[in-house]
Amino acid sequence: MPPRSAVADLLSRLSAVFEGRGDRWFLFGAQAVAAHGVPRVTADVDVTVVLGDGQPRALALALDEAGIRL
């Protein structure tokens, strides 16, 4: 099994935070295109989140606790 990429690791951690909070989210931009097999030369990860609790500060704290820097 090949090693996981940094992007795959980040997406896994983001998913765990969002799903643990009950937030809906989706990936877009170059990483979404790459996930469909078209490699792109970019390192950023773009997501949109619909906050389950309507509290952006709570999301920021949860991401920080997961080691994810905004």
Side-chain angles (χ1 to χ4, degrees):
M1 177 182 229
R4 283 174 53 142
S5 72
V7 171
D9 180 59
L10 175 60
L11 289 173
S12 178
R13 291 186 298 137
L14 284 170
S15 178
V17 170
F18 296 148
E19 291 178 15
R21 290 177 28 83
D23 298 330
R24 294 181 308 154
W25 69 287
F26 65 89
L27 176 70
F28 67 98
Q31 298 302 335
V33 173
H36 286 280
V38 181
R40 301 294 300 261
V41 183
T42 184
D44 64 320
V45 174
D46 304 308
V47 297
T48 295
V49 181
V50 178
L51 299 174
D53 63 5
Q55 300 294 320
R57 181 153 174 73
L59 172 59
L61 290 171
L63 290 170
D64 186 59
E65 289 174 0
I68 299 169
R69 187 181 53 143
L70 299 177

Short mmCIF file of all heavy atoms in Angstrom, two decimals:
data_model
loop_
_atom_site.label_atom_id
_atom_site.label_comp_id
_atom_site.label_asym_id
_atom_site.label_seq_id
_atom_site.Cartn_x
_atom_site.Cartn_y
_atom_site.Cartn_z
N MET A 1 0.85 -1.17 0.00
CA MET A 1 0.00 0.00 0.00
C MET A 1 0.90 1.24 0.00
O MET A 1 1.78 1.37 0.84
CB MET A 1 -0.90 -0.03 1.23
CG MET A 1 -1.79 1.18 1.37
SD MET A 1 -2.75 1.05 2.91
CE MET A 1 -4.34 1.40 2.30
N PRO A 2 0.68 2.19 -0.93
CA PRO A 2 1.52 3.38 -0.98
C PRO A 2 1.25 4.29 0.22
O PRO A 2 0.16 4.27 0.79
CB PRO A 2 1.11 4.06 -2.28
CG PRO A 2 -0.23 3.53 -2.61
CD PRO A 2 -0.32 2.17 -1.99
N PRO A 3 2.25 5.09 0.61
CA PRO A 3 2.04 6.01 1.73
C PRO A 3 0.99 7.05 1.37
O PRO A 3 0.84 7.43 0.21
CB PRO A 3 3.41 6.65 1.93
CG PRO A 3 4.14 6.45 0.66
CD PRO A 3 3.57 5.21 0.02
N ARG A 4 0.26 7.49 2.40
CA ARG A 4 -0.76 8.52 2.17
C ARG A 4 -0.10 9.86 1.94
O ARG A 4 0.90 10.19 2.57
CB ARG A 4 -1.69 8.62 3.38
CG ARG A 4 -2.68 7.50 3.43
CD ARG A 4 -3.48 7.52 4.68
NE ARG A 4 -4.11 8.79 4.94
CZ ARG A 4 -5.32 8.92 5.46
NH1 ARG A 4 -5.99 7.86 5.76
NH2 ARG A 4 -5.83 10.10 5.69
N SER A 5 -0.70 10.64 1.08
CA SER A 5 -0.18 11.98 0.84
C SER A 5 -0.59 12.91 1.97
O SER A 5 -1.51 12.61 2.75
CB SER A 5 -0.72 12.52 -0.49
OG SER A 5 -2.10 12.84 -0.37
N ALA A 6 0.08 14.04 2.04
CA ALA A 6 -0.27 15.05 3.05
C ALA A 6 -1.70 15.54 2.83
O ALA A 6 -2.43 15.80 3.80
CB ALA A 6 0.72 16.21 3.00
N VAL A 7 -2.11 15.65 1.59
CA VAL A 7 -3.48 16.12 1.29
C VAL A 7 -4.49 15.08 1.75
O VAL A 7 -5.51 15.41 2.36
CB VAL A 7 -3.65 16.45 -0.21
CG1 VAL A 7 -5.11 16.73 -0.54
CG2 VAL A 7 -2.78 17.64 -0.58
N ALA A 8 -4.22 13.81 1.49
CA ALA A 8 -5.14 12.75 1.93
C ALA A 8 -5.26 12.74 3.45
O ALA A 8 -6.36 12.57 3.99
CB ALA A 8 -4.68 11.40 1.41
N ASP A 9 -4.13 12.93 4.13
CA ASP A 9 -4.15 12.99 5.59
C ASP A 9 -4.98 14.17 6.07
O ASP A 9 -5.81 14.03 6.97
CB ASP A 9 -2.73 13.07 6.14
CG ASP A 9 -2.71 13.14 7.65
OD1 ASP A 9 -3.23 12.21 8.29
OD2 ASP A 9 -2.19 14.13 8.19
N LEU A 10 -4.77 15.34 5.47
CA LEU A 10 -5.54 16.53 5.86
C LEU A 10 -7.03 16.33 5.62
O LEU A 10 -7.85 16.64 6.48
CB LEU A 10 -5.04 17.75 5.09
CG LEU A 10 -5.85 19.03 5.32
CD1 LEU A 10 -5.82 19.44 6.79
CD2 LEU A 10 -5.32 20.15 4.44
N LEU A 11 -7.39 15.78 4.47
CA LEU A 11 -8.81 15.55 4.18
C LEU A 11 -9.43 14.58 5.17
O LEU A 11 -10.58 14.76 5.59
CB LEU A 11 -8.99 15.05 2.74
CG LEU A 11 -8.73 16.08 1.66
CD1 LEU A 11 -8.78 15.44 0.28
CD2 LEU A 11 -9.70 17.25 1.76
N SER A 12 -8.68 13.58 5.57
CA SER A 12 -9.18 12.63 6.57
C SER A 12 -9.43 13.33 7.90
O SER A 12 -10.46 13.12 8.56
CB SER A 12 -8.17 11.50 6.74
OG SER A 12 -8.59 10.60 7.73
N ARG A 13 -8.49 14.19 8.32
CA ARG A 13 -8.66 14.92 9.58
C ARG A 13 -9.80 15.94 9.49
O ARG A 13 -10.58 16.08 10.44
CB ARG A 13 -7.35 15.60 9.98
CG ARG A 13 -6.30 14.57 10.37
CD ARG A 13 -5.02 15.17 10.93
NE ARG A 13 -4.35 15.99 9.94
CZ ARG A 13 -3.82 17.19 10.19
NH1 ARG A 13 -3.86 17.71 11.39
NH2 ARG A 13 -3.20 17.86 9.24
N LEU A 14 -9.91 16.63 8.35
CA LEU A 14 -11.03 17.57 8.17
C LEU A 14 -12.36 16.83 8.26
O LEU A 14 -13.29 17.28 8.94
CB LEU A 14 -10.93 18.28 6.82
CG LEU A 14 -9.91 19.39 6.69
CD1 LEU A 14 -9.78 19.82 5.23
CD2 LEU A 14 -10.28 20.57 7.57
N SER A 15 -12.44 15.71 7.58
CA SER A 15 -13.67 14.92 7.59
C SER A 15 -14.05 14.51 9.01
O SER A 15 -15.21 14.61 9.40
CB SER A 15 -13.50 13.68 6.71
OG SER A 15 -14.66 12.89 6.73
N ALA A 16 -13.06 14.08 9.78
CA ALA A 16 -13.34 13.66 11.15
C ALA A 16 -13.88 14.83 11.99
O ALA A 16 -14.84 14.66 12.76
CB ALA A 16 -12.07 13.09 11.79
N VAL A 17 -13.29 16.01 11.82
CA VAL A 17 -13.77 17.18 12.58
C VAL A 17 -15.18 17.54 12.14
O VAL A 17 -16.08 17.70 12.97
CB VAL A 17 -12.82 18.39 12.39
CG1 VAL A 17 -13.44 19.66 12.96
CG2 VAL A 17 -11.47 18.12 13.05
N PHE A 18 -15.40 17.68 10.85
CA PHE A 18 -16.71 18.10 10.35
C PHE A 18 -17.80 17.10 10.71
O PHE A 18 -18.88 17.47 11.18
CB PHE A 18 -16.69 18.31 8.84
CG PHE A 18 -15.77 19.41 8.37
CD1 PHE A 18 -15.13 19.33 7.15
CD2 PHE A 18 -15.53 20.54 9.15
CE1 PHE A 18 -14.29 20.34 6.70
CE2 PHE A 18 -14.69 21.55 8.72
CZ PHE A 18 -14.07 21.45 7.50
N GLU A 19 -17.53 15.82 10.49
CA GLU A 19 -18.54 14.80 10.78
C GLU A 19 -18.78 14.68 12.27
O GLU A 19 -19.92 14.47 12.71
CB GLU A 19 -18.13 13.48 10.15
CG GLU A 19 -18.21 13.54 8.63
CD GLU A 19 -17.77 12.28 7.94
OE1 GLU A 19 -17.66 11.22 8.60
OE2 GLU A 19 -17.52 12.34 6.72
N GLY A 20 -17.73 14.83 13.07
CA GLY A 20 -17.88 14.78 14.52
C GLY A 20 -18.74 15.91 15.06
O GLY A 20 -19.40 15.77 16.08
N ARG A 21 -18.75 17.04 14.35
CA ARG A 21 -19.56 18.19 14.76
C ARG A 21 -20.95 18.19 14.12
O ARG A 21 -21.78 19.00 14.45
CB ARG A 21 -18.84 19.48 14.36
CG ARG A 21 -17.59 19.78 15.14
CD ARG A 21 -16.91 21.04 14.62
NE ARG A 21 -17.79 22.01 14.01
CZ ARG A 21 -18.52 22.93 14.69
NH1 ARG A 21 -18.45 22.98 15.99
NH2 ARG A 21 -19.30 23.76 14.03
N GLY A 22 -21.16 17.32 13.15
CA GLY A 22 -22.44 17.30 12.45
C GLY A 22 -22.52 18.33 11.33
O GLY A 22 -23.61 18.70 10.90
N ASP A 23 -21.35 18.82 10.86
CA ASP A 23 -21.32 19.79 9.78
C ASP A 23 -21.36 19.08 8.43
O ASP A 23 -20.79 18.00 8.27
CB ASP A 23 -20.02 20.62 9.83
CG ASP A 23 -19.88 21.43 11.10
OD1 ASP A 23 -20.90 21.83 11.68
OD2 ASP A 23 -18.72 21.67 11.51
N ARG A 24 -22.01 19.71 7.47
CA ARG A 24 -21.96 19.22 6.09
C ARG A 24 -20.84 19.99 5.40
O ARG A 24 -20.62 21.16 5.68
CB ARG A 24 -23.28 19.45 5.38
CG ARG A 24 -24.42 18.62 5.98
CD ARG A 24 -25.71 18.84 5.26
NE ARG A 24 -25.99 20.28 5.17
CZ ARG A 24 -26.72 20.84 4.24
NH1 ARG A 24 -27.28 20.12 3.30
NH2 ARG A 24 -26.94 22.13 4.23
N TRP A 25 -20.14 19.32 4.47
CA TRP A 25 -19.03 20.00 3.80
C TRP A 25 -18.77 19.37 2.46
O TRP A 25 -19.24 18.27 2.16
CB TRP A 25 -17.78 19.94 4.67
CG TRP A 25 -17.17 18.57 4.81
CD1 TRP A 25 -17.66 17.53 5.55
CD2 TRP A 25 -16.00 18.09 4.18
NE1 TRP A 25 -16.83 16.44 5.44
CE2 TRP A 25 -15.80 16.76 4.60
CE3 TRP A 25 -15.07 18.66 3.32
CZ2 TRP A 25 -14.73 15.99 4.18
CZ3 TRP A 25 -13.99 17.89 2.90
CH2 TRP A 25 -13.84 16.57 3.32
N PHE A 26 -18.07 20.12 1.61
CA PHE A 26 -17.62 19.55 0.35
C PHE A 26 -16.29 20.17 -0.04
O PHE A 26 -15.95 21.28 0.36
CB PHE A 26 -18.67 19.70 -0.76
CG PHE A 26 -18.96 21.12 -1.17
CD1 PHE A 26 -18.24 21.75 -2.17
CD2 PHE A 26 -20.00 21.82 -0.57
CE1 PHE A 26 -18.53 23.04 -2.55
CE2 PHE A 26 -20.30 23.11 -0.94
CZ PHE A 26 -19.55 23.73 -1.94
N LEU A 27 -15.55 19.40 -0.80
CA LEU A 27 -14.25 19.79 -1.33
C LEU A 27 -14.46 20.39 -2.71
O LEU A 27 -15.26 19.88 -3.49
CB LEU A 27 -13.37 18.54 -1.41
CG LEU A 27 -11.99 18.68 -2.03
CD1 LEU A 27 -11.08 19.49 -1.10
CD2 LEU A 27 -11.40 17.29 -2.26
N PHE A 28 -13.74 21.46 -3.02
CA PHE A 28 -13.80 22.01 -4.36
C PHE A 28 -12.41 22.50 -4.76
O PHE A 28 -11.46 22.36 -4.01
CB PHE A 28 -14.85 23.13 -4.46
CG PHE A 28 -14.53 24.38 -3.69
CD1 PHE A 28 -13.95 25.46 -4.31
CD2 PHE A 28 -14.80 24.47 -2.33
CE1 PHE A 28 -13.66 26.61 -3.60
CE2 PHE A 28 -14.53 25.61 -1.61
CZ PHE A 28 -13.94 26.69 -2.26
N GLY A 29 -12.29 23.03 -5.95
CA GLY A 29 -11.00 23.55 -6.41
C GLY A 29 -10.09 22.45 -6.95
O GLY A 29 -10.54 21.36 -7.31
N ALA A 30 -8.80 22.77 -6.97
CA ALA A 30 -7.82 21.88 -7.59
C ALA A 30 -7.76 20.51 -6.94
O ALA A 30 -7.58 19.49 -7.62
CB ALA A 30 -6.44 22.53 -7.57
N GLN A 31 -7.91 20.44 -5.61
CA GLN A 31 -7.84 19.13 -4.94
C GLN A 31 -9.04 18.26 -5.31
O GLN A 31 -8.92 17.04 -5.39
CB GLN A 31 -7.71 19.29 -3.42
CG GLN A 31 -6.44 20.00 -3.00
CD GLN A 31 -5.18 19.30 -3.47
OE1 GLN A 31 -5.14 18.11 -3.72
NE2 GLN A 31 -4.12 20.07 -3.59
N ALA A 32 -10.19 18.86 -5.53
CA ALA A 32 -11.36 18.09 -5.98
C ALA A 32 -11.10 17.52 -7.37
O ALA A 32 -11.44 16.37 -7.65
CB ALA A 32 -12.61 18.95 -5.98
N VAL A 33 -10.50 18.33 -8.23
CA VAL A 33 -10.16 17.85 -9.57
C VAL A 33 -9.14 16.72 -9.48
O VAL A 33 -9.28 15.70 -10.15
CB VAL A 33 -9.61 19.02 -10.43
CG1 VAL A 33 -9.08 18.53 -11.77
CG2 VAL A 33 -10.70 20.07 -10.65
N ALA A 34 -8.14 16.88 -8.60
CA ALA A 34 -7.13 15.85 -8.43
C ALA A 34 -7.75 14.55 -7.91
O ALA A 34 -7.32 13.45 -8.30
CB ALA A 34 -6.03 16.33 -7.49
N ALA A 35 -8.74 14.67 -7.04
CA ALA A 35 -9.41 13.47 -6.51
C ALA A 35 -10.11 12.68 -7.61
O ALA A 35 -10.34 11.49 -7.47
CB ALA A 35 -10.41 13.87 -5.42
N HIS A 36 -10.42 13.36 -8.71
CA HIS A 36 -11.04 12.68 -9.85
C HIS A 36 -10.02 12.26 -10.90
O HIS A 36 -10.38 11.94 -12.02
CB HIS A 36 -12.11 13.58 -10.47
CG HIS A 36 -13.35 13.66 -9.63
ND1 HIS A 36 -14.31 12.68 -9.63
CD2 HIS A 36 -13.75 14.59 -8.72
CE1 HIS A 36 -15.26 13.01 -8.77
NE2 HIS A 36 -14.94 14.16 -8.21
N GLY A 37 -8.73 12.31 -10.51
CA GLY A 37 -7.70 11.75 -11.39
C GLY A 37 -6.99 12.72 -12.30
O GLY A 37 -6.23 12.30 -13.17
N VAL A 38 -7.22 14.02 -12.14
CA VAL A 38 -6.53 15.00 -12.97
C VAL A 38 -5.56 15.77 -12.06
O VAL A 38 -5.98 16.62 -11.30
CB VAL A 38 -7.52 15.98 -13.63
CG1 VAL A 38 -6.79 16.99 -14.49
CG2 VAL A 38 -8.56 15.23 -14.44
N PRO A 39 -4.28 15.42 -12.10
CA PRO A 39 -3.32 16.06 -11.20
C PRO A 39 -3.23 17.56 -11.44
O PRO A 39 -3.29 18.02 -12.57
CB PRO A 39 -2.01 15.38 -11.51
CG PRO A 39 -2.23 14.45 -12.63
CD PRO A 39 -3.67 14.46 -12.99
N ARG A 40 -3.10 18.29 -10.36
CA ARG A 40 -2.96 19.75 -10.42
C ARG A 40 -1.74 20.16 -9.60
O ARG A 40 -1.36 19.48 -8.67
CB ARG A 40 -4.20 20.43 -9.84
CG ARG A 40 -5.50 20.10 -10.53
CD ARG A 40 -5.55 20.62 -11.96
NE ARG A 40 -5.42 22.06 -12.03
CZ ARG A 40 -6.43 22.91 -12.16
NH1 ARG A 40 -7.65 22.45 -12.23
NH2 ARG A 40 -6.21 24.20 -12.22
N VAL A 41 -1.15 21.28 -9.93
CA VAL A 41 0.03 21.76 -9.22
C VAL A 41 -0.40 22.85 -8.25
O VAL A 41 -0.28 24.04 -8.51
CB VAL A 41 1.09 22.29 -10.21
CG1 VAL A 41 2.34 22.73 -9.46
CG2 VAL A 41 1.41 21.26 -11.26
N THR A 42 -0.94 22.43 -7.13
CA THR A 42 -1.33 23.35 -6.07
C THR A 42 -1.35 22.57 -4.76
O THR A 42 -1.55 21.36 -4.76
CB THR A 42 -2.70 24.00 -6.34
OG1 THR A 42 -2.97 24.94 -5.32
CG2 THR A 42 -3.81 22.98 -6.40
N ALA A 43 -1.15 23.25 -3.67
CA ALA A 43 -1.11 22.56 -2.39
C ALA A 43 -2.24 22.98 -1.45
O ALA A 43 -2.39 22.40 -0.39
CB ALA A 43 0.22 22.82 -1.70
N ASP A 44 -3.03 23.98 -1.84
CA ASP A 44 -4.11 24.40 -0.95
C ASP A 44 -5.30 23.45 -1.04
O ASP A 44 -5.44 22.71 -2.01
CB ASP A 44 -4.54 25.84 -1.25
CG ASP A 44 -5.16 25.97 -2.64
OD1 ASP A 44 -4.64 25.35 -3.58
OD2 ASP A 44 -6.14 26.71 -2.78
N VAL A 45 -6.11 23.46 -0.01
CA VAL A 45 -7.31 22.63 0.04
C VAL A 45 -8.50 23.56 0.30
O VAL A 45 -8.52 24.28 1.29
CB VAL A 45 -7.20 21.57 1.16
CG1 VAL A 45 -8.50 20.80 1.32
CG2 VAL A 45 -6.05 20.62 0.89
N ASP A 46 -9.44 23.56 -0.63
CA ASP A 46 -10.61 24.43 -0.53
C ASP A 46 -11.83 23.61 -0.13
O ASP A 46 -12.15 22.62 -0.79
CB ASP A 46 -10.89 25.10 -1.88
CG ASP A 46 -9.71 25.88 -2.41
OD1 ASP A 46 -9.18 26.71 -1.66
OD2 ASP A 46 -9.31 25.64 -3.56
N VAL A 47 -12.48 24.02 0.96
CA VAL A 47 -13.71 23.36 1.39
C VAL A 47 -14.75 24.41 1.72
O VAL A 47 -14.43 25.54 2.07
CB VAL A 47 -13.51 22.44 2.62
CG1 VAL A 47 -12.57 21.29 2.31
CG2 VAL A 47 -13.04 23.20 3.83
N THR A 48 -16.00 24.02 1.59
CA THR A 48 -17.13 24.83 2.05
C THR A 48 -17.81 24.03 3.14
O THR A 48 -18.00 22.82 3.00
CB THR A 48 -18.12 25.12 0.90
OG1 THR A 48 -17.45 25.95 -0.06
CG2 THR A 48 -19.36 25.82 1.40
N VAL A 49 -18.18 24.70 4.22
CA VAL A 49 -18.78 24.03 5.38
C VAL A 49 -20.12 24.68 5.70
O VAL A 49 -20.22 25.90 5.75
CB VAL A 49 -17.86 24.15 6.62
CG1 VAL A 49 -18.46 23.42 7.81
CG2 VAL A 49 -16.47 23.63 6.32
N VAL A 50 -21.14 23.85 5.91
CA VAL A 50 -22.42 24.30 6.44
C VAL A 50 -22.41 23.93 7.90
O VAL A 50 -22.46 22.75 8.26
CB VAL A 50 -23.61 23.65 5.69
CG1 VAL A 50 -24.92 24.12 6.30
CG2 VAL A 50 -23.54 23.94 4.21
N LEU A 51 -22.31 24.93 8.77
CA LEU A 51 -22.16 24.69 10.19
C LEU A 51 -23.44 24.12 10.80
O LEU A 51 -24.49 24.74 10.72
CB LEU A 51 -21.79 25.98 10.92
CG LEU A 51 -20.48 26.63 10.49
CD1 LEU A 51 -20.32 27.97 11.19
CD2 LEU A 51 -19.31 25.72 10.80
N GLY A 52 -23.30 22.95 11.41
CA GLY A 52 -24.44 22.33 12.07
C GLY A 52 -24.93 23.13 13.26
O GLY A 52 -26.12 23.18 13.54
N ASP A 53 -23.99 23.79 13.95
CA ASP A 53 -24.37 24.56 15.13
C ASP A 53 -24.37 26.06 14.89
O ASP A 53 -24.66 26.84 15.79
CB ASP A 53 -23.46 24.22 16.31
CG ASP A 53 -22.00 24.60 16.07
OD1 ASP A 53 -21.68 25.20 15.02
OD2 ASP A 53 -21.16 24.27 16.93
N GLY A 54 -24.00 26.50 13.69
CA GLY A 54 -23.99 27.91 13.37
C GLY A 54 -22.92 28.71 14.11
O GLY A 54 -22.99 29.92 14.17
N GLN A 55 -21.92 28.04 14.66
CA GLN A 55 -20.90 28.70 15.48
C GLN A 55 -19.53 28.60 14.80
O GLN A 55 -18.80 27.63 15.00
CB GLN A 55 -20.84 28.06 16.87
CG GLN A 55 -22.13 28.15 17.65
CD GLN A 55 -22.46 29.60 18.00
OE1 GLN A 55 -21.59 30.38 18.34
NE2 GLN A 55 -23.73 29.94 17.88
N PRO A 56 -19.13 29.61 14.03
CA PRO A 56 -17.84 29.53 13.36
C PRO A 56 -16.66 29.46 14.33
O PRO A 56 -15.67 28.78 14.06
CB PRO A 56 -17.78 30.81 12.52
CG PRO A 56 -18.90 31.66 12.95
CD PRO A 56 -19.88 30.81 13.69
N ARG A 57 -16.76 30.12 15.47
CA ARG A 57 -15.65 30.06 16.43
C ARG A 57 -15.47 28.64 16.97
O ARG A 57 -14.35 28.17 17.14
CB ARG A 57 -15.88 31.03 17.58
CG ARG A 57 -14.75 31.01 18.58
CD ARG A 57 -14.62 32.33 19.32
NE ARG A 57 -13.64 32.31 20.38
CZ ARG A 57 -12.34 32.29 20.22
NH1 ARG A 57 -11.82 32.27 19.02
NH2 ARG A 57 -11.52 32.29 21.26
N ALA A 58 -16.57 27.94 17.20
CA ALA A 58 -16.49 26.56 17.68
C ALA A 58 -15.81 25.67 16.64
O ALA A 58 -15.02 24.79 16.98
CB ALA A 58 -17.88 26.03 18.03
N LEU A 59 -16.11 25.92 15.37
CA LEU A 59 -15.44 25.15 14.30
C LEU A 59 -13.95 25.47 14.29
O LEU A 59 -13.12 24.56 14.21
CB LEU A 59 -16.05 25.46 12.94
CG LEU A 59 -15.31 24.87 11.74
CD1 LEU A 59 -15.22 23.35 11.82
CD2 LEU A 59 -15.94 25.31 10.44
N ALA A 60 -13.59 26.74 14.38
CA ALA A 60 -12.18 27.13 14.37
C ALA A 60 -11.44 26.46 15.53
O ALA A 60 -10.32 25.98 15.36
CB ALA A 60 -12.04 28.64 14.44
N LEU A 61 -12.05 26.41 16.70
CA LEU A 61 -11.42 25.76 17.85
C LEU A 61 -11.26 24.26 17.63
O LEU A 61 -10.23 23.68 17.97
CB LEU A 61 -12.22 26.04 19.12
CG LEU A 61 -12.16 27.49 19.63
CD1 LEU A 61 -13.16 27.69 20.76
CD2 LEU A 61 -10.76 27.88 20.04
N ALA A 62 -12.29 23.62 17.06
CA ALA A 62 -12.23 22.19 16.79
C ALA A 62 -11.12 21.87 15.78
O ALA A 62 -10.39 20.89 15.93
CB ALA A 62 -13.58 21.66 16.30
N LEU A 63 -10.99 22.70 14.76
CA LEU A 63 -9.93 22.50 13.77
C LEU A 63 -8.56 22.69 14.42
O LEU A 63 -7.64 21.91 14.16
CB LEU A 63 -10.11 23.47 12.60
CG LEU A 63 -11.32 23.18 11.69
CD1 LEU A 63 -11.52 24.33 10.73
CD2 LEU A 63 -11.17 21.86 10.96
N ASP A 64 -8.44 23.71 15.25
CA ASP A 64 -7.18 23.95 15.95
C ASP A 64 -6.81 22.76 16.83
O ASP A 64 -5.66 22.33 16.86
CB ASP A 64 -7.27 25.23 16.77
CG ASP A 64 -5.94 25.61 17.40
OD1 ASP A 64 -4.96 25.81 16.65
OD2 ASP A 64 -5.89 25.69 18.65
N GLU A 65 -7.78 22.22 17.54
CA GLU A 65 -7.54 21.06 18.41
C GLU A 65 -7.09 19.84 17.60
O GLU A 65 -6.36 18.99 18.10
CB GLU A 65 -8.79 20.72 19.22
CG GLU A 65 -9.09 21.73 20.31
CD GLU A 65 -10.42 21.48 21.00
OE1 GLU A 65 -11.11 20.51 20.65
OE2 GLU A 65 -10.76 22.28 21.88
N ALA A 66 -7.55 19.76 16.34
CA ALA A 66 -7.16 18.64 15.47
C ALA A 66 -5.82 18.91 14.78
O ALA A 66 -5.37 18.11 13.95
CB ALA A 66 -8.25 18.39 14.44
N GLY A 67 -5.20 20.06 15.10
CA GLY A 67 -3.91 20.37 14.50
C GLY A 67 -4.02 20.94 13.10
O GLY A 67 -3.04 20.92 12.34
N ILE A 68 -5.18 21.45 12.74
CA ILE A 68 -5.41 22.01 11.41
C ILE A 68 -5.36 23.52 11.51
O ILE A 68 -6.12 24.13 12.23
CB ILE A 68 -6.76 21.53 10.84
CG1 ILE A 68 -6.76 20.01 10.74
CG2 ILE A 68 -7.01 22.20 9.49
CD1 ILE A 68 -8.11 19.42 10.44
N ARG A 69 -4.43 24.11 10.79
CA ARG A 69 -4.24 25.55 10.81
C ARG A 69 -5.06 26.20 9.69
O ARG A 69 -5.00 25.76 8.55
CB ARG A 69 -2.76 25.87 10.60
CG ARG A 69 -2.41 27.32 10.76
CD ARG A 69 -0.96 27.51 10.52
NE ARG A 69 -0.65 26.91 9.23
CZ ARG A 69 0.22 27.40 8.36
NH1 ARG A 69 0.89 28.47 8.63
NH2 ARG A 69 0.43 26.81 7.22
N LEU A 70 -5.81 27.22 10.05
CA LEU A 70 -6.59 27.93 9.04
C LEU A 70 -5.71 28.89 8.28
O LEU A 70 -4.77 29.42 8.77
CB LEU A 70 -7.74 28.71 9.70
CG LEU A 70 -8.74 27.85 10.47
CD1 LEU A 70 -9.76 28.75 11.13
CD2 LEU A 70 -9.41 26.87 9.53
#
